[in-house]
Amino acid sequence: MHLSMWTYPWDIQDQGLAALAADLRGRAGLTTVSLATSYHAGRFLQPRSPQQKAYFPEDGTVYFRPDESLWQDKVIRPLMARNVDERGDMLEALVRGRDMTGLKVSCWTVCLHNTRLGMLHPNHVTRNAFGNPNYYNLCPSSPAARAYVVTLVRDITTNYQPDMVELESPNFMGFAHEYHHEKDGVGLNAEDDFLLSLCFCDHCMARATKAGVPVEGARRSVVRFIADLCERAVPERQFPDFPAAGIDAFRDHPDLHGYLAWRTEPVTSLIGEIKAAADPATRIVLIDLKDGWLGGVDLAAAGKLCDGVILCCYDMAPGVLGNVIRTGRAAIGAGKFLGVGLRVFYPEVGEPAVLAARAKAAVDAGADGVNFYNYGLIPAKRLDWVKAAVDVIT
């Protein structure tokens, strides 16, 4: 069974490779480490680190040494984090040390969520119906953004040969909670956030038009809905069956409904291109959420093109979590890897039994493995909670 923990490079640098192996394999009973190899900015409380209790990673950098021969003709190119030169290439250390650590290596790879690159390449980010850029989200319709992600995974898999690559954000992203110090005095509800996240950049407009989609009519509808939500004294629901009905919540607006049906195409085809360019020895899996369609993910279509999916089910009761996993299994089929992502944060996980119940519900529903979040962000004693969950499912 695949049993992994999402981990940052600086966690390993702080603890050391031998200590990481003792923690993950020995104490927690895990089989794999999922290392962040491309990541965004943030502020992290680091309870495990002896010195860095607060850590601010560089924005939009990669934690490996890019192969320059693969990037010479690319419009969008990665920036290697200073951390790699200053403290060592942890991806290289892990793949070379697999026999010593007993841990398989998975590369947790952020794809299109990249504010640094978005600021550098504003013509390749998503844009709302008014044409305003979302700098944090490179657009999956942009040829340059697609080439960046495809080459990123090709570089990692051919030059490092990890066991797995986990694709985070190869899709359209939401409007809320994707940038820094966000301000919203309106009080956006779920449908408002979704409407503001819909992309109508030149690349999407051209790609949809080529597919025969009435994209301009869809854009006008979204402009009207956004203008209306901005005029209300308090938020109101315009679409009562959103998000439960999926894109059919917009069935009374044919142009928009058609655009939403098309919107999965750039994401699905990008995942296919990533898989085709990757070294076949490395499994390519998608990290997704319960309602991945909001970001343009067609789980069934994506599942046919990659090796599997990890569904993040963080703060869910076991019954709800089990239903999500069963739905995911039905979508991708019996032959593909299906993992579950579980967070070990307090208070959503207040005791070991809570985590164990969620892990058991996932495996009973058809999950092939569990990724736990996150090695450096939790106290060491919670590794024992992870072991309690692992013991229930193995």
Side-chain angles (χ1 to χ4, degrees):
M1 180 177 288
H2 172 90
L3 298 166
S4 190
M5 182 164 272
W6 283 303
T7 303
Y8 298 122
W10 49 91
D11 298 332
I12 304 172
Q13 292 157 346
D14 286 345
Q15 303 296 326
L17 202 60
L20 173 87
D23 278 346
L24 296 193
R25 186 169 51 81
R27 185 170 183 176
L30 304 178
T31 61
T32 305
V33 55
S34 294
L35 182 75
T37 46
S38 171
Y39 209 67
H40 48 71
R43 185 213 67 198
F44 305 112
L45 174 61
Q46 301 284 121
R48 307 287 312 289
S49 176
Q51 293 182 326
Q52 297 185 118
K53 295 304 183 188
Y55 190 78
F56 292 78
E58 292 178 77
D59 193 12
T61 57
V62 299
Y63 292 88
F64 65 93
R65 298 187 185 279
D67 179 351
E68 287 301 317
S69 68
L70 297 177
W71 293 99
Q72 291 177 358
D73 62 341
K74 301 298 184 291
V75 174
I76 302 177
R77 296 162 57 95
L79 174 67
M80 187 183 76
R82 292 191 299 270
N83 171 287
V84 177
D85 273 337
E86 293 170 355
R87 305 189 67 191
D89 184 341
M90 292 300 100
L91 179 54
E92 181 182 34
L94 285 171
V95 295
R96 288 190 174 183
R98 276 180 283 210
D99 290 341
M100 182 272 287
T101 64
L103 294 168
K104 293 182 179 179
V105 180
S106 188
C107 292
W108 169 24
T109 306
V110 175
C111 297
L112 297 173
H113 182 189
N114 197 309
T115 303
R116 185 189 68 82
L117 290 178
M119 291 288 190
L120 287 173
H121 303 280
N123 292 330
H124 299 285
V125 301
T126 63
R127 290 176 179 263
N128 65 28
F130 285 84
N132 313 132
N134 298 311
Y135 291 110
Y136 52 80
N137 187 188
L138 296 171
C139 182
S141 289
S142 159
R146 293 169 73 90
Y148 165 75
V149 177
V150 169
T151 308
L152 188 70
V153 176
R154 181 187 175 196
D155 195 342
I156 292 169
T157 59
T158 56
N159 289 300
Y160 287 86
Q161 299 187 318
D163 300 280
M164 179 182 286
V165 168
E166 303 165 13
L167 304 175
E168 178 182 321
S169 70
N171 51 275
F172 299 100
M173 300 179 68
F175 180 71
H177 306 302
E178 307 296 359
Y179 196 60
H180 311 293
H181 299 291
E182 296 161 333
K183 308 294 182 183
D184 163 27
V186 173
L188 300 176
N189 59 33
E191 68 188 38
D192 298 337
D193 179 81
F194 178 66
L195 292 166
L196 282 162
S197 75
L198 294 179
C199 182
F200 294 93
C201 73
D202 290 345
H203 304 290
C204 279
M205 298 281 280
R207 197 175 181 102
T209 298
K210 186 176 181 180
V213 176
V215 62
E216 181 54 34
R219 190 193 67 81
R220 287 196 299 267
S221 293
V222 177
V223 164
R224 185 172 72 255
F225 296 143
I226 293 173
D228 288 347
L229 74 88
C230 289
E231 291 295 326
R232 298 190 185 97
V234 296
E236 296 176 13
R237 297 287 300 275
Q238 299 182 77
F239 304 97
D241 53 355
F242 177 90
I247 67 171
D248 285 343
F250 304 93
R251 57 190 170 272
D252 294 334
H253 306 276
D255 288 359
L256 178 55
H257 188 271
Y259 187 63
L260 295 178
W262 165 84
R263 186 169 171 258
T264 62
E265 186 281 326
V267 178
T268 301
S269 60
L270 175 57
I271 291 169
E273 289 178 18
I274 291 169
K275 172 61 180 172
D279 188 302
T282 299
R283 289 196 292 177
I284 306 298
V285 304
L286 170 68
I287 299 175
D288 200 18
L289 302 171
K290 171 179 170 289
D291 291 318
W293 70 271
L294 295 169
V297 174
D298 180 334
L299 200 59
K304 290 181 175 66
L305 297 176
C306 64
D307 295 303
V309 179
I310 297 171
L311 293 175
C312 294
C313 300
Y314 290 155
D315 195 8
M316 292 185 187
V320 175
L321 189 155
N323 289 335
V324 171
I325 295 300
R326 278 186 284 272
T327 300
R329 175 57 73 198
I332 68 173
K336 297 297 180 84
F337 171 80
L338 177 60
V340 64
L342 298 179
R343 194 157 54 191
V344 197
F345 283 11
Y346 186 89
E348 69 186 59
V349 176
E351 59 180 350
V354 174
L355 188 64
R358 291 175 181 171
K360 185 176 187 303
V363 172
D364 287 349
D368 300 309
V370 184
N371 274 43
F372 296 94
Y373 190 93
N374 173 296
Y375 177 64
L377 300 180
I378 61 172
K381 290 180 179 179
R382 275 192 224 154
L383 293 172
D384 300 328
W385 298 14
V386 174
K387 182 60 163 62
V390 168
D391 286 345
V392 167
I393 59 178
T394 56

